[in-house]
Amino acid sequence: MTPALLELIVVILLPVAAFSGWYAGRRGGALQSGRRVSRLSKTYFRGLNYLLNEQPDKAIELFLQLAEADKDTIETQFSLGYLFRRRGEVDRAIRLHQSLISRPGLSEEQKKYAALELGEDYMRAGLLDRAETLFTDLVQMDVSVPQALRHLISIYQAERDWDKAIGHARSFQDATGEPMGALIAQFHCELAEQARLQGEHDTARARIADAYAADPYSTRAGILEGQIELAANNDAAAIRAFERVARQDVDYLPEVIKPLLGAYQRGQDTSRARAFLAEMIEHYPGFAPVQALSRILHDEEGVDVARRFLSRQVRQRPSVRGQAALIELSLDSPDEAIGTLVALKQISEQLLVRSPAYRCGRCGFGARAHHWQCPSCKNWGMIKPQYNLLGE
Ligand SMILES: [Zn+2]
């Protein structure tokens, strides 16, 4: 079942569960309530069945009929409003929820729910101003604060109003205890980026400090700091910032290695470059730091040292890029051609062993041997030979 269908089931059944207590109370006699609930649940289960059979249109049709025929019952009204919104009939959803809010006799819980639903209708209709006013009122009245704040945060993100997004994310954190530091740091980085693009380096530095205060491990703040210091010709500070990014999250090494190498080169600090690249080779499985270090070795110690280093490294982490770099270096020292060919053959064999020769066209499962039935998604006849650079 798709997540969207599951969500539909949960939302359609939720009001029934939430308000069944209130419903039984309002209807009085247990007998009458029981009879109505059983008729309701019969239809609900028929709808549910459509949903389980992945026929959401039929299910929605059924729930709509049910809710239209049962206008007095609040929980079916909530289902109806949800269904209108889901089908894109946002105006009908808005009218329905507006009339629910002004209907006398609703419990606080129901009013809250109706207001939140109306806010979502406004957002869906693109009426962000109205949604903002409504959710802000809810927060000020101390009603449904976390949900309202969550919606407000996404409204301010859509409007790129980062100061308000930051303020509301802080309030959400205070109200729920859920840590929001990483998100708040992203918002500060948006402000830093704006300042950087306008050449206001000091403002950008202040925003970056705010981002670090919200999230001391912010990778984005580190990258921005490096870019700003580079633009201000502070290579030493840029190097510190970029090195810190790669040490905090080595996956971002490819994002910072190019400016970093440029800064090392301008400062002619190859010993620092060599130490840092050697450290990265320990932690990063890709080719970028190996390539950078082999270039420095080439310049400083000659082609043979560089070629031996590269040959050893690429055998440990075989890649097509590595092969290309090794071939390129070997063209400079043709005397070693046989040794290089042996190394290249070993690297090619490892690449072929590691790469699946067959792949499932349905789920993407990779296999070394052919299977008529996919071991992963169990579909038949979907696994075929691959036609890429490592396959057939
Ligand atoms: Zn499959």
Side-chain angles (χ1 to χ4, degrees):
M1 189 182 312
T2 64
L5 271 180
L6 200 62
E7 183 211 331
L8 186 59
I9 292 173
V10 169
V11 174
I12 284 171
L13 293 179
L14 193 71
V16 180
F19 304 121
S20 54
W22 164 85
Y23 176 80
R26 196 183 124 163
R27 293 276 157 179
L31 185 69
Q32 193 185 7
S33 146
R35 209 186 304 140
R36 282 187 58 93
V37 165
S38 83
R39 185 178 70 74
L40 258 182
S41 28
K42 225 164 152 185
T43 322
Y44 265 105
F45 281 117
R46 227 170 82 214
L48 194 58
N49 206 31
Y50 283 132
L51 288 176
L52 292 170
N53 289 316
E54 313 231 357
Q55 294 175 285
D57 288 343
K58 277 192 182 174
I60 286 177
E61 211 47 61
L62 195 72
F63 287 122
L64 273 177
Q65 283 171 18
L66 170 78
E68 295 272 19
D70 200 10
K71 285 214 189 266
D72 294 340
T73 318
I74 299 293
E75 69 264 31
T76 50
Q77 292 301 295
F78 280 126
S79 295
L80 191 57
Y82 171 81
L83 293 171
F84 284 151
R85 190 167 72 232
R86 191 186 153 91
R87 296 207 331 170
E89 298 176 49
V90 190
D91 290 348
R92 292 179 82 180
I94 288 174
R95 281 199 301 278
L96 186 143
H97 290 128
Q98 280 172 338
S99 81
L100 274 179
I101 288 174
S102 53
R103 188 193 276 205
L106 256 67
S107 73
E108 284 305 310
E109 207 49 42
Q110 290 165 340
K111 276 185 199 157
K112 242 161 62 175
Y113 192 81
L116 284 172
E117 289 292 289
L118 181 60
E120 282 201 43
D121 297 340
Y122 287 151
M123 284 177 73
R124 180 71 185 274
L127 303 168
L128 294 187
D129 289 358
R130 281 204 217 175
E132 182 186 340
T133 309
L134 191 145
F135 289 130
T136 305
D137 287 350
L138 287 178
V139 172
Q140 275 164 4
M141 292 185 300
D142 216 15
V143 173
S144 301
V145 173
Q147 292 105 308
L149 283 173
R150 199 186 281 279
H151 287 305
L152 283 168
I153 294 167
S154 62
I155 289 171
Y156 294 130
Q157 284 181 63
E159 292 177 339
R160 305 181 66 76
D161 187 338
W162 306 117
D163 284 313
K164 281 189 178 166
I166 290 164
H168 286 77
R170 284 207 189 104
S171 307
F172 182 85
Q173 185 172 281
D174 294 343
T176 62
E178 203 178 301
M180 299 293 279
L183 186 65
I184 292 172
Q186 289 282 352
F187 299 158
H188 283 301
C189 285
E190 289 286 339
L191 292 168
E193 186 82 66
Q194 283 176 5
R196 182 177 83 93
L197 293 175
Q198 285 160 7
E200 297 166 4
H201 289 168
D202 287 338
T203 312
R205 286 192 185 100
R207 298 289 160 268
I208 287 168
D210 293 338
Y212 277 131
D215 175 13
Y217 301 106
S218 169
T219 307
R220 186 177 177 189
I223 292 175
L224 273 168
E225 185 184 350
Q227 289 169 334
I228 286 160
E229 297 309 339
L230 270 192
N233 295 317
N234 297 328
D235 276 341
I239 287 174
R240 279 198 301 277
F242 286 137
E243 284 183 350
R244 194 174 55 230
V245 167
R247 287 194 174 110
Q248 263 165 18
D249 188 346
V250 78
D251 291 341
Y252 281 95
L253 180 65
E255 291 295 301
V256 299
I257 194 163
K258 212 173 155 192
L260 196 48
L261 290 171
Y264 286 139
Q265 202 168 27
R266 281 190 298 278
Q268 299 184 335
D269 193 355
T270 48
S271 65
R272 180 161 184 164
R274 285 174 71 154
F276 178 73
L277 291 169
E279 180 192 333
M280 287 297 112
I281 288 170
E282 296 287 309
H283 297 102
Y284 183 73
F287 183 56
V290 171
Q291 183 168 38
L293 187 49
S294 86
R295 282 185 181 149
I296 293 176
L297 288 173
H298 190 187
D299 292 345
E300 298 194 336
E301 296 181 31
V303 66
D304 288 332
V305 173
R307 188 176 35 76
R308 278 197 296 275
F309 166 77
L310 197 59
S311 166
R312 194 172 61 241
Q313 287 293 332
V314 179
R315 263 179 284 185
Q316 283 168 16
R317 54 184 84 201
S319 72
V320 176
R321 273 166 194 260
Q323 284 182 323
L326 191 54
I327 291 168
E328 196 188 326
L329 263 190
S330 305
L331 292 175
D332 288 348
S333 57
D335 299 348
E336 298 294 327
I338 296 296
T340 306
L341 282 174
V342 171
L344 286 170
K345 181 169 180 288
Q346 288 173 352
I347 295 162
S348 304
E349 282 165 359
Q350 285 192 52
L351 283 174
L352 290 171
V353 166
R354 285 180 191 202
S355 100
Y358 299 90
R359 197 169 287 286
C360 173
R362 187 64 60 87
C363 74
F365 178 82
R368 295 248 185 88
H370 186 242
H371 301 265
W372 284 112
Q373 186 186 23
C374 174
S376 176
C377 70
K378 309 294 179 204
N379 277 293
W380 292 89
M382 295 307 294
I383 291 192
K384 290 182 175 172
Q386 291 208 87
Y387 309 106
N388 60 23
L389 80 168
L390 295 173
E392 187 49 55

